[in-house]
Amino acid sequence: MFEFVTARELYELVHQGSLIEKDQLEYVELDGWVRTNRNNGSVGFIELNDGTYFKNVQLVYSKEDDDYTLCTSLNTGDAISAYGVFKITENGKQPFEIVLKKLTLLAKCDPSYPLQKKRHSFEFLREIAHLRPKANTFLAVFRVRSVLAMAIHEFFQSQGFVYVNGPIITGNDCEGAGETFSVTTLNDFSKGYKDDFFGKHTNLTVSAQLHAEAFAQCFRDVYTFGPTFRAEKSNTTRHAAEFWMVEPEIAFADLEDDMALIEDMVKYCIQTVLQECPAEMEFFNKMIDTSLIDRLTHVLNSKFEVMTYTDAIERLKKAVENGEAFENKNITWGMDLNSEHEKYLCEKVINGPLFLINYPKEIKSFYMKLNDDNKTVAACDLLVPHIGELVGGSQREENYEKLVARMNELHMNTSSLQWYLDLRRFGGVSSAGFGLGFERMVMYVTGVSNIRDVIPFPRTVNNCEF
Ligand code: 4AD
Ligand code: MG
């Protein structure tokens, strides 16, 4: 009797303890890729990874085995099928091992395989994005990414939110920043877009918010979670041209409700990852950022701070007076904060997540609700240490006239957004929502500092390989 198993099943079995008695031997078979293979002439050890679990499974073979020659010939990257006796180990580095009885070579790995056992730089690994998930760091990152995606769905679904898919091709630019990628089938643009596929100019979405708002006015609580595209030329560690955004929208709600939702969501994500990916999180804590788990645990147990934009400007002015070495020391009310300022506020002033609220209307999008001071809007950005802006949200302007006036001030084309304006005419109530940059969330919980390393095949300025 034997069972086909995965590494995950074996580790779960061992960690749960009771399922396999210490001295009860069982035959198992598993498939995987050789990580390392070493032998001292009489016994040998193969570290096998089958992708189902972060940790490897140790296979043991000896000179007496029929397959000894095959065993010794195995190299890093070879795919094999292993059949043997499952054994709990006493005091070993591994909690268990498999004593090989039969080995089958499934696929040979060419000696030019670039992922030999040594530490490679992130830069080098980016050049082999098709192979890097075989490296420990990426095996961990992309499992955490998957678990996080599920956590997002669980968080919203458990509260009755409806999952909405916004369109990817759209005629509008929600953020109004003009950083869109055009979608066209034309080669000749001299006659405009009249003869184009859609008979007009279209682009890839920069945000599904406007469409989410339409659905929030029907379902009350909704969220989108989809690919988002921005042709920002800023070549930073936090910007990608293609990324994933989570955009909830809640009706009958204001900025306070929005911030409470953001805080709950961030905490839920952290908690889920700590619970479901302990091996991966331990690895990040050891290899990438030794304060990671402590920091995340602290975030779980603290209330997020709130500061107005106006207070933040005062703080930053003081910081400059006290000699803080900002690149941009020209702090004035109305400025768009640079990431060094955002980092200073959440890392040095607060040392934790910080909501900055009530920004000047001039530096925020057209749809945000104007505050009573007529100068600021009901917006909130969640800033977190090491990342900066993790979330951007706001209460929406629900007053038709005010919204039209703002769009006119900004010389926006109201006719193409008449449908959006109409939401205000047909029983539109106050609503609020936010956008979470999903990759930034992955960076935040893993400690990985470059967005290119948390998305499988990154697209950034001058980079669209694979
Ligand atoms: O602050 P943003 O631009 O907000 C919006 O798009 C709103 N429509 C959201 C809403 O209220 N529904 O973007 C939201 C978040 C940012 O806080 C950031 O985390 C992420 O999206 N983000 C990016 N992530 C990676 N690469 C980029 N180029 C990003 N641009 C924004
Ligand atoms: Mg923003």
Side-chain angles (χ1 to χ4, degrees):
M1 237 278 295
F2 77 95
E3 236 178 305
F4 181 83
V5 291
T6 63
R8 176 166 293 270
E9 286 167 335
L10 291 178
Y11 272 96
E12 277 172 3
L13 225 60
V14 171
H15 289 149
Q16 286 161 2
S18 61
L19 287 171
I20 288 197
E21 295 298 327
K22 266 196 176 150
D23 47 13
Q24 183 189 333
L25 301 183
E26 235 176 345
Y27 286 93
V28 294
E29 183 180 328
L30 80 169
D31 301 336
W33 293 274
V34 173
R35 279 295 183 82
T36 61
N37 180 15
R38 65 201 153 86
N39 73 79
N40 62 13
S42 59
V43 248
F45 301 94
I46 295 167
E47 291 285 327
L48 189 76
N49 192 287
D50 75 347
T52 64
Y53 195 63
F54 180 67
K55 292 183 178 169
N56 301 326
V57 170
Q58 178 163 283
L59 311 176
V60 190
Y61 58 90
S62 66
K63 207 164 179 177
E64 290 73 45
D65 296 347
D66 295 343
D67 294 326
Y68 182 73
T69 321
L70 177 59
C71 283
T72 56
S73 75
L74 292 175
N75 293 317
T76 302
D78 289 344
I80 58 170
S81 181
Y83 171 72
V85 178
F86 175 72
K87 237 171 124 180
I88 303 276
T89 46
E90 307 276 350
N91 336 309
K93 241 178 84 185
Q94 330 278 337
F96 62 87
E97 60 190 22
I98 288 164
V99 182
L100 271 179
K101 292 292 166 209
K102 184 162 176 38
L103 185 119
T104 315
L105 178 65
L106 299 177
K108 203 65 197 148
C109 180
D110 193 84
S112 65
Y113 183 53
L115 279 173
Q116 298 300 335
K117 193 180 162 62
K118 67 170 196 160
R119 251 184 124 165
H120 299 285
S121 72
F122 279 108
E123 288 78 8
F124 169 73
L125 291 164
R126 264 171 232 149
E127 290 169 14
I128 50 165
H130 58 309
L131 297 174
R132 69 178 178 170
K134 289 173 183 283
N136 279 338
T137 305
F138 295 94
L139 212 51
V141 164
F142 292 121
R143 184 168 297 276
V144 166
R145 185 177 165 116
S146 162
V147 167
L148 263 178
M150 194 63 194
I152 295 282
H153 284 295
E154 277 165 2
F155 175 77
F156 290 113
Q157 295 276 342
S158 69
Q159 301 180 65
F161 282 62
V162 170
Y163 174 41
V164 178
N165 300 119
I168 287 175
I169 302 172
T170 166
N172 63 60
D173 173 9
C174 169
E175 294 306 302
E179 290 163 335
T180 57
F181 288 100
S182 292
V183 175
T184 178
T185 54
L186 294 179
N187 294 315
D188 171 9
F189 296 94
S190 59
K191 290 192 226 125
Y193 291 94
K194 198 167 53 25
D195 297 330
D196 203 353
F197 189 90
F198 296 107
K200 63 178 202 172
H201 178 253
T202 55
N203 51 265
L204 296 176
T205 184
V206 297
S207 160
Q209 177 196 321
L210 307 185
H211 306 94
E213 280 192 44
F215 272 65
Q217 295 297 338
C218 317
F219 289 96
R220 182 183 180 121
D221 297 329
V222 302
Y223 69 105
T224 69
F225 185 177
T228 308
F229 308 87
R230 294 197 184 174
E232 281 169 291
K233 281 274 168 127
S234 41
N235 205 352
T236 75
T237 54
R238 300 167 301 115
H239 290 91
E242 177 178 313
F243 62 101
W244 284 64
M245 197 171 359
V246 179
E247 291 184 280
E249 190 70 26
I250 47 179
F252 307 100
D254 61 15
L255 191 65
E256 291 287 319
D257 300 320
D258 207 25
M259 290 195 290
L261 187 65
I262 296 171
E263 182 165 345
D264 282 353
M265 179 198 66
V266 171
K267 286 179 175 173
Y268 186 82
C269 286
I270 293 176
Q271 199 176 11
T272 304
V273 167
L274 288 175
Q275 224 162 44
E276 292 189 18
C277 306
E280 287 82 358
M281 293 306 286
E282 237 170 74
F283 171 80
F284 294 132
N285 203 60
K286 194 165 144 219
M287 306 301 283
I288 295 197
D289 176 355
T290 52
S291 57
L292 181 70
I293 291 179
D294 276 351
R295 191 171 66 243
L296 293 176
T297 310
H298 178 71
V299 169
L300 272 187
N301 299 317
S302 51
K303 177 100 186 80
F304 292 7
E305 300 275 343
V306 182
M307 189 188 287
T308 64
Y309 169 89
T310 304
D311 285 348
I313 290 293
E314 289 312 310
R315 293 277 194 158
L316 292 169
K317 280 184 178 162
K318 287 227 173 70
V320 170
E321 276 166 34
N322 294 333
E324 187 66 33
F326 292 134
E327 248 171 65
N328 177 7
K329 294 196 181 105
N330 185 20
I331 311 288
T332 52
W333 197 95
M335 73 186 287
D336 210 351
L337 301 182
N338 301 124
S339 84
E340 55 173 347
H341 304 131
E342 295 180 338
K343 283 195 170 184
Y344 173 84
L345 292 167
C346 62
E347 286 171 14
K348 299 234 173 110
V349 179
I350 303 295
N351 191 21
L354 167 67
F355 279 118
L356 268 198
I357 61 167
N358 299 342
Y359 284 79
K361 65 175 181 184
E362 285 77 15
I363 57 171
K364 288 292 185 187
S365 302
F366 75 98
Y367 50 71
M368 296 187 181
K369 186 177 173 66
L370 191 62
N371 286 324
D372 291 340
D373 60 11
N374 280 327
K375 285 196 314 199
T376 61
V377 286
C380 65
D381 275 9
L382 180 67
L383 312 179
V384 297
H386 302 280
I387 308 287
E389 181 186 335
L390 179 65
V391 175
S394 63
Q395 187 175 336
R396 322 305 189 186
E397 183 56 76
E398 79 262 35
N399 181 293
Y400 185 92
E401 282 75 30
K402 283 190 188 170
L403 190 55
V404 171
R406 184 66 187 137
M407 289 169 80
N408 286 334
E409 255 170 45
L410 293 167
H411 307 294
M412 289 174 67
N413 172 0
T414 47
S415 66
S416 71
L417 282 176
Q418 189 56 47
W419 67 269
Y420 179 69
L421 285 163
D422 280 349
L423 296 174
R424 275 76 184 154
R425 293 173 54 222
F426 302 128
V429 295
S430 157
S431 85
F434 64 85
L436 164 73
F438 184 60
E439 284 72 22
R440 294 197 187 170
M441 189 69 189
V442 181
M443 291 165 74
Y444 184 51
V445 299
T446 58
V448 171
S449 60
N450 196 314
I451 197 164
R452 292 162 182 78
D453 301 322
V454 298
I455 187 163
F457 297 98
R459 273 84 179 90
T460 51
V461 185
N462 285 327
N463 169 42
C464 188
E465 297 302 317
F466 304 98

